[in-house]
Amino acid sequence: MTIETPKSVRELSLFEDARKRLDKALKYVSMSEDALRRLKYPKASLSVSIPVRMDNGSLKIFQGYRVRYDDTRGPGKGGVRYHPNVSIDEVQSLAFWMTFKCALLNLPFGGAKGGITLNPKELSRQELERLSRGYIDAIADFIGPNVDILAPDVYTNATIMGWMMDQYSIIKRQVSPAVVTGKPLMMGGSQGRNSATAMGAFYAINTILHKFEQIPRQTTVAIQGFGNVGAILAELLAQVGYKVVAVSDSQGGLYAQQGLDIPSIRQYKHENRGMKAVYCKDTVCDIVEHKIISNKELLALDVDILIPAALENQITAANAPDIKAKYIFEVANGPITSAADEILEGQGIRVFPDILINAGGVTVSYFEWVQNRSGLYWTEAEVNQRLEQKMVEETEQTWCIAQNTGTSMRTAAYIHALNRLGEALDAKGTRDYYVNNQW
């Protein structure tokens, strides 16, 4: 039996891609038909209108969403993104992926996701605060520390998470830090959360490349996406000797064959809201030789490692033949389509999936949730030590499954997650249990 696509999402390419990848994994999983049927549909979907009084006195209505795809293994968990392309279909697909990501990392969570359709750069900070609090007003009965826990995602940050937690606490008339993760430290946030996704990816990348005897100083890296995650990951890789030769943001990218000075580029971008290849000493930055490239050109560079860390659907059947990297580590959610997967595999390019590589964020979100509920807080060293242990353990298990089944790392990751989800779903009772009536 395969997971059929619900009629309501027939047009959704993200969901279709996820389904195709599951079909491959199902060949290696013993799973009841009951469990498969329950994974066909989200448990609950919510669409809300959010009225916001703008700074000029006008009223504007924004569309918001929250989807809780599955909560068999625990309360829903997933970020909230602010982006012009947010839709119920996208949010449902991302919640679907979160379900498998949490199962893969063996976290006691189900999958959820949320978002608001807007360009956040067009709103003032006061308008963003009113919007964020309005979103919580609209979905407060749909979320909770034991129901569905929010986190930052594309164009949301610790400040926005703090507003959301505070608004939920006002509504419930009790301080409720565990309803949101990724908060400011002074509001119950966790040490290490800001860098968690990048740190998790760093641990997974090192674990995997060690198996190929890839020496850092002889390894070139290109990173698409120089936001919080991509920038921190670039710096972590550069610190241990990897040669980061290209980075890009939404405006374009930089390439320098000799390698880029990542800390200086981060400093320059923070101070000037743009990117140039520079070397900075204190407050003085000198421009160094570099080439301006597009995001499309970055993806096609002849490098050892390519890291898509921006948005979904960046590598498709159209540009997959141009990819020259030996290894691709998905730090963004869904950056490679299933059609592109087939082409890359045919070219001998090894792809390491998002539900494993970018799982550091949700893992440390889990740590934050645990700390909020216990009232006992850990140091950044403790958080990173626990994160490394978790990422290395699940990376090794996924690698072993891939070797034993002769499948790709993506299929192995879904096999690993499906086994855990199947056991949890079957524990609630299956057709065989009721038909056979055996205790």
Side-chain angles (χ1 to χ4, degrees), residues 90-200:
E90 180 190 51
V91 171
Q92 177 170 287
S93 297
L94 293 167
F96 180 86
W97 273 323
M98 279 297 297
T99 299
F100 290 91
K101 187 183 299 184
C102 291
L104 176 64
L105 270 291
N106 204 20
L107 305 177
F109 289 142
K113 208 74 176 186
I116 303 175
T117 309
L118 81 154
N119 180 355
K121 297 177 182 179
E122 296 177 351
L123 273 65
S124 70
R125 292 190 178 186
Q126 290 80 5
E127 290 167 341
L128 279 174
E129 179 176 2
R130 292 194 285 272
L131 174 69
S132 302
R133 290 181 181 274
Y135 178 64
I136 297 302
D137 287 342
I139 70 167
D141 294 332
F142 196 76
I143 61 174
N146 297 308
V147 180
D148 185 357
I149 303 126
L150 281 56
D153 200 89
V154 176
Y155 290 131
T156 54
N157 56 25
T159 299
I160 292 173
M161 293 302 107
W163 292 334
M164 290 184 176
M165 188 278 282
D166 183 58
Q167 190 65 22
Y168 183 85
S169 298
I170 290 171
I171 293 168
K172 297 299 180 180
R173 296 185 180 274
Q174 58 184 14
V175 179
S176 305
V179 71
V180 172
T181 60
K183 306 178 295 295
L185 288 175
M186 293 302 101
M187 297 182 72
S190 174
Q191 296 281 355
R193 178 60 185 87
N194 186 56
S195 60
T197 303
M199 287 295 296

Side-chain angles (χ1 to χ4, degrees), residues 21 306 315-316 319-326 328 330 335-351 410:
R21 286 156 175 169
L306 175 61
I315 300 177
T316 65
N319 64 351
D322 300 327
I323 305 300
K324 303 178 185 68
K326 296 177 184 176
I328 300 177
E330 295 183 321
I336 302 175
T337 67
S338 60
D341 256 347
E342 302 291 338
I343 297 171
L344 296 172
E345 187 173 347
Q347 295 172 191
I349 298 171
R350 293 180 178 267
V351 176
R410 189 188 305 283

Side-chain angles (χ1 to χ4, degrees), residues 240-255:
V240 296
Y242 290 93
K243 187 187 290 186
V244 181
V245 298
V247 296
S248 68
D249 62 11
S250 59
Q251 305 303 313
L254 311 171
Y255 172 74

